[in-house]
Amino acid sequence: MKKLESRQDIENLVNSFYSKVVKDEVIGFFFNDIAKVDWDKHLPKMYSFWESILFGQMSYKGNPMAVHFPINEIQAMEQKHFDRWLELWKTSIEENFVGENADMAIYKSENIARLMAYKMDLARRL
Ligand code: HEM
C-alpha cells in the first residue's frame, strides 16, 4: 500500500474508479447512456480536479456542480446513486492507498457529494 502523493497516483486512482463506474449497475448508465462521456476529455479533467483538491495545484478550471444539473434533469440523481458513487470511490482508494491524502480524498468526496445531492434535489423541486 502506498501514499497518494503524485499526479501519477491520482491518474491511477481515477482510472481504477471509472473502470468500476462504467460496469456498475446502479450508476454506470449515467456515464454510458445519458452523458455518453468522452473519456479522453473527461479523465484529464478528473485528474486535475483531484490534483487541485488534494495538492492545491489549481490545474482544474471548471464548475463541477454545473455539469450535473442537465444530467439530473434527464435522470434524477438520487441519494442511492450518490451512495454508490461514494462506495466505488472509497473502495478504489482503500484498495490502493493509505495515508492523509487518501483519507482527505474520501472526506472531500463525502462533503461534495452531500452538497451535490442537496442541490440536485432542490433543483428537482423548482
Ligand atoms: C450520482 C453521482 C454522480 C454521477 C452520476 C455523476 C456523473 C457525472 C457525469 C456523467 C459527468 C460527465 C459529464 C460530461 O463530461 O459529459 C460528470 C462530471 C464530473 N463530475 Fe460527476 N457525477 C456524480 C458525482 C460526482 C461527485 C460526488 C463529484 C465530486 C466529488 C463529481 C465530480 C465531477 C467532476 C469534477 C466532473 C467534471 C466537470 C467538468 O467537466 O469540468 N461527480 N459527473
Side-chain angles (χ1 to χ4, degrees):
M1 291 292 241
K2 69 182 300 301
K3 288 184 177 175
L4 181 52
E5 53 196 354
S6 66
R7 167 88 180 193
Q8 188 59 58
D9 292 339
I10 287 184
E11 294 190 9
N12 294 345
L13 168 59
V14 168
N15 292 345
S16 142
F17 170 64
Y18 282 110
S19 71
K20 293 180 175 45
V21 165
V22 292
K23 295 185 290 209
D24 189 71
E25 285 182 9
V26 183
I27 60 168
F29 73 101
F30 280 104
F31 298 82
N32 301 324
D33 305 325
I34 295 179
K36 298 190 175 64
V37 173
D38 178 344
W39 293 103
D40 290 341
K41 287 199 182 134
H42 182 61
L43 289 174
K45 282 188 199 163
M46 297 311 289
Y47 304 150
S48 295
F49 176 73
W50 284 107
E51 189 177 43
S52 299
I53 288 183
L54 296 176
F55 309 149
Q57 289 286 340
M58 303 315 283
S59 49
Y60 173 75
K61 300 205 170 30
N63 183 342
M65 286 296 159
V67 303
H68 297 85
F69 286 111
I71 298 167
N72 184 50
E73 276 181 26
I74 299 169
Q75 161 67 55
M77 290 171 65
E78 294 171 351
Q79 193 55 49
K80 64 177 179 203
H81 302 123
F82 285 100
D83 290 346
R84 186 67 182 152
W85 192 106
L86 286 169
E87 193 182 332
L88 297 179
W89 180 244
K90 201 170 167 205
T91 307
S92 307
I93 293 170
E94 289 176 347
E95 278 172 357
N96 299 293
F97 298 101
V98 289
E100 239 175 72
N101 284 337
D103 293 344
M104 188 55 76
I106 294 172
Y107 176 74
K108 291 280 187 181
S109 70
E110 287 169 349
N111 281 339
I112 298 167
R114 194 175 307 119
L115 182 64
M116 201 182 277
Y118 172 76
K119 289 194 171 196
M120 296 306 135
D121 184 61
L122 206 61
R124 290 198 300 274
R125 292 158 191 269
L126 291 175

Coordinates of all heavy atoms in Angstrom, one line a residue, residues 48-79:
S48 N -7.2 16.6 -12.9 CA -6.9 17.9 -12.5 C -7.8 18.3 -11.3 O -7.3 19.0 -10.4 CB -7.1 18.9 -13.6 OG -6.1 18.7 -14.6
F49 N -9.0 17.9 -11.4 CA -9.9 18.2 -10.2 C -9.4 17.7 -8.9 O -9.3 18.4 -7.9 CB -11.3 17.5 -10.5 CG -12.3 17.7 -9.5 CD1 -12.9 18.9 -9.2 CD2 -12.7 16.6 -8.7 CE1 -13.9 19.0 -8.2 CE2 -13.7 16.7 -7.7 CZ -14.3 17.9 -7.5
W50 N -9.0 16.4 -8.9 CA -8.4 15.9 -7.6 C -7.1 16.4 -7.3 O -6.7 16.5 -6.1 CB -8.5 14.3 -7.7 CG -9.9 13.9 -7.5 CD1 -10.7 13.4 -8.5 CD2 -10.7 14.0 -6.3 NE1 -12.0 13.1 -7.9 CE2 -12.0 13.5 -6.6 CE3 -10.4 14.4 -5.0 CZ2 -13.0 13.4 -5.6 CZ3 -11.4 14.4 -4.1 CH2 -12.7 13.9 -4.4
E51 N -6.3 16.7 -8.3 CA -5.0 17.3 -8.1 C -5.1 18.7 -7.4 O -4.4 19.0 -6.5 CB -4.2 17.5 -9.4 CG -2.8 17.9 -9.3 CD -2.2 18.0 -10.7 OE1 -2.8 18.5 -11.6 OE2 -1.0 17.5 -10.8
S52 N -6.1 19.4 -7.8 CA -6.4 20.7 -7.2 C -6.9 20.6 -5.8 O -6.5 21.3 -4.9 CB -7.5 21.5 -8.1 OG -7.0 21.7 -9.4
I53 N -7.8 19.6 -5.6 CA -8.3 19.4 -4.2 C -7.2 19.0 -3.3 O -7.1 19.5 -2.2 CB -9.5 18.4 -4.2 CG1 -10.7 19.1 -4.9 CG2 -9.8 18.0 -2.8 CD1 -11.9 18.3 -4.9
L54 N -6.4 18.0 -3.7 CA -5.5 17.3 -2.8 C -4.2 18.1 -2.7 O -3.6 18.1 -1.6 CB -5.3 15.9 -3.2 CG -6.5 15.0 -3.1 CD1 -6.2 13.6 -3.6 CD2 -7.0 14.9 -1.7
F55 N -3.7 18.6 -3.8 CA -2.3 19.2 -3.8 C -2.4 20.7 -4.0 O -1.3 21.3 -4.1 CB -1.4 18.6 -4.9 CG -1.4 17.1 -4.9 CD1 -1.2 16.4 -6.0 CD2 -1.5 16.3 -3.7 CE1 -1.1 15.0 -6.1 CE2 -1.4 14.9 -3.7 CZ -1.3 14.2 -4.9
G56 N -3.6 21.3 -4.1 CA -3.7 22.7 -4.3 C -3.0 23.2 -5.6 O -2.6 24.4 -5.6
Q57 N -3.0 22.4 -6.6 CA -2.4 22.8 -7.8 C -3.1 23.8 -8.7 O -2.6 24.4 -9.5 CB -2.1 21.5 -8.7 CG -1.1 20.6 -8.2 CD 0.3 21.1 -8.4 OE1 0.5 22.0 -9.2 NE2 1.3 20.6 -7.7
M58 N -4.4 23.9 -8.4 CA -5.3 24.7 -9.2 C -5.2 24.5 -10.7 O -5.3 25.4 -11.5 CB -5.0 26.2 -8.9 CG -5.1 26.6 -7.5 SD -6.6 25.9 -6.6 CE -7.9 27.0 -7.3
S59 N -5.1 23.2 -11.1 CA -5.0 22.9 -12.5 C -6.4 22.7 -13.1 O -6.6 22.7 -14.3 CB -4.1 21.7 -12.7 OG -4.5 20.6 -11.8
Y60 N -7.4 22.5 -12.2 CA -8.8 22.3 -12.7 C -9.5 23.6 -12.8 O -9.5 24.4 -11.9 CB -9.6 21.4 -11.7 CG -11.0 21.3 -12.0 CD1 -11.5 20.6 -13.1 CD2 -12.0 22.0 -11.3 CE1 -12.8 20.5 -13.4 CE2 -13.3 22.0 -11.6 CZ -13.8 21.2 -12.7 OH -15.1 21.2 -13.0
K61 N -10.0 23.9 -14.0 CA -10.8 25.1 -14.2 C -12.2 24.6 -14.7 O -12.3 24.1 -15.8 CB -10.2 26.0 -15.2 CG -8.8 26.4 -14.8 CD -8.3 27.7 -15.4 CE -7.0 28.2 -14.7 NZ -6.1 27.1 -14.2
G62 N -13.2 24.8 -13.9 CA -14.5 24.4 -14.3 C -15.4 24.5 -13.1 O -15.1 25.1 -12.1
N63 N -16.7 24.1 -13.4 CA -17.7 24.2 -12.4 C -18.3 22.8 -12.2 O -19.2 22.4 -12.9 CB -18.7 25.2 -12.9 CG -19.8 25.5 -11.8 OD1 -20.0 24.7 -10.9 ND2 -20.5 26.6 -12.0
P64 N -17.8 22.1 -11.2 CA -18.2 20.7 -11.1 C -19.7 20.5 -10.8 O -20.3 19.6 -11.3 CB -17.4 20.2 -9.9 CG -16.8 21.4 -9.2 CD -16.8 22.5 -10.2
M65 N -20.3 21.5 -10.1 CA -21.8 21.4 -9.9 C -22.5 21.5 -11.2 O -23.4 20.7 -11.5 CB -22.3 22.4 -8.9 CG -21.9 22.2 -7.5 SD -22.6 20.7 -6.8 CE -21.4 20.4 -5.4
A66 N -22.2 22.5 -12.0 CA -23.0 22.9 -13.2 C -23.2 21.7 -14.1 O -24.3 21.6 -14.7 CB -22.3 24.1 -13.9
V67 N -22.1 20.9 -14.3 CA -22.3 19.8 -15.3 C -23.3 18.8 -14.9 O -23.8 18.0 -15.8 CB -20.9 19.1 -15.7 CG1 -19.9 20.1 -16.1 CG2 -20.4 18.3 -14.5
H68 N -23.6 18.7 -13.6 CA -24.5 17.7 -13.2 C -26.0 18.1 -13.3 O -26.9 17.2 -13.3 CB -24.2 17.3 -11.7 CG -22.8 16.7 -11.6 ND1 -21.7 17.4 -11.5 CD2 -22.4 15.4 -11.7 CE1 -20.6 16.7 -11.4 NE2 -21.0 15.4 -11.6
F69 N -26.3 19.4 -13.4 CA -27.7 19.8 -13.4 C -28.4 19.2 -14.7 O -29.5 18.7 -14.6 CB -27.9 21.3 -13.3 CG -27.6 21.8 -11.9 CD1 -26.5 22.6 -11.7 CD2 -28.5 21.6 -10.9 CE1 -26.3 23.1 -10.4 CE2 -28.3 22.0 -9.6 CZ -27.2 22.8 -9.3
P70 N -27.8 19.4 -15.9 CA -28.5 18.8 -17.0 C -28.7 17.3 -17.0 O -29.7 16.8 -17.5 CB -27.6 19.2 -18.2 CG -26.5 20.0 -17.7 CD -26.6 20.1 -16.2
I71 N -27.8 16.6 -16.4 CA -27.9 15.2 -16.2 C -29.1 14.8 -15.3 O -29.9 14.0 -15.6 CB -26.6 14.6 -15.7 CG1 -25.4 14.8 -16.6 CG2 -26.7 13.1 -15.4 CD1 -24.1 14.6 -16.1
N72 N -29.1 15.6 -14.2 CA -30.2 15.5 -13.2 C -31.6 15.7 -13.8 O -32.6 15.2 -13.3 CB -29.9 16.4 -12.1 CG -30.8 16.4 -10.9 OD1 -31.1 15.3 -10.4 ND2 -31.4 17.5 -10.5
E73 N -31.6 16.5 -14.8 CA -32.9 16.8 -15.5 C -33.4 15.7 -16.3 O -34.6 15.4 -16.5 CB -32.8 18.1 -16.4 CG -33.0 19.3 -15.6 CD -32.9 20.6 -16.4 OE1 -33.2 20.5 -17.6 OE2 -32.6 21.6 -15.8
I74 N -32.4 14.9 -16.9 CA -32.8 13.8 -17.7 C -33.1 12.6 -16.8 O -34.1 11.8 -17.0 CB -31.7 13.4 -18.7 CG1 -31.4 14.6 -19.6 CG2 -32.0 12.1 -19.5 CD1 -30.1 14.4 -20.4
Q75 N -32.3 12.4 -15.8 CA -32.5 11.3 -14.8 C -32.1 11.8 -13.5 O -31.0 12.2 -13.2 CB -31.6 10.1 -15.2 CG -31.3 9.1 -14.2 CD -32.6 8.3 -13.8 OE1 -33.2 7.7 -14.6 NE2 -32.9 8.3 -12.5
A76 N -33.1 11.8 -12.6 CA -32.9 12.3 -11.2 C -31.7 11.6 -10.6 O -31.6 10.4 -10.6 CB -34.1 12.0 -10.3
M77 N -30.7 12.4 -10.1 CA -29.6 11.9 -9.3 C -30.0 11.8 -7.9 O -30.1 12.8 -7.2 CB -28.4 12.8 -9.5 CG -27.8 12.7 -10.9 SD -26.5 14.0 -11.3 CE -25.3 13.5 -10.2
E78 N -30.3 10.6 -7.4 CA -30.8 10.4 -6.1 C -29.8 9.9 -5.1 O -28.7 9.6 -5.4 CB -32.0 9.4 -6.2 CG -33.1 10.0 -7.0 CD -34.2 9.0 -7.3 OE1 -34.0 7.8 -7.0 OE2 -35.3 9.4 -7.8
Q79 N -30.2 9.9 -3.8 CA -29.3 9.5 -2.7 C -28.6 8.1 -3.0 O -27.5 8.0 -2.8 CB -30.0 9.5 -1.4 CG -29.1 9.4 -0.2 CD -28.0 10.5 -0.2 OE1 -28.4 11.7 -0.4 NE2 -26.8 10.1 0.0

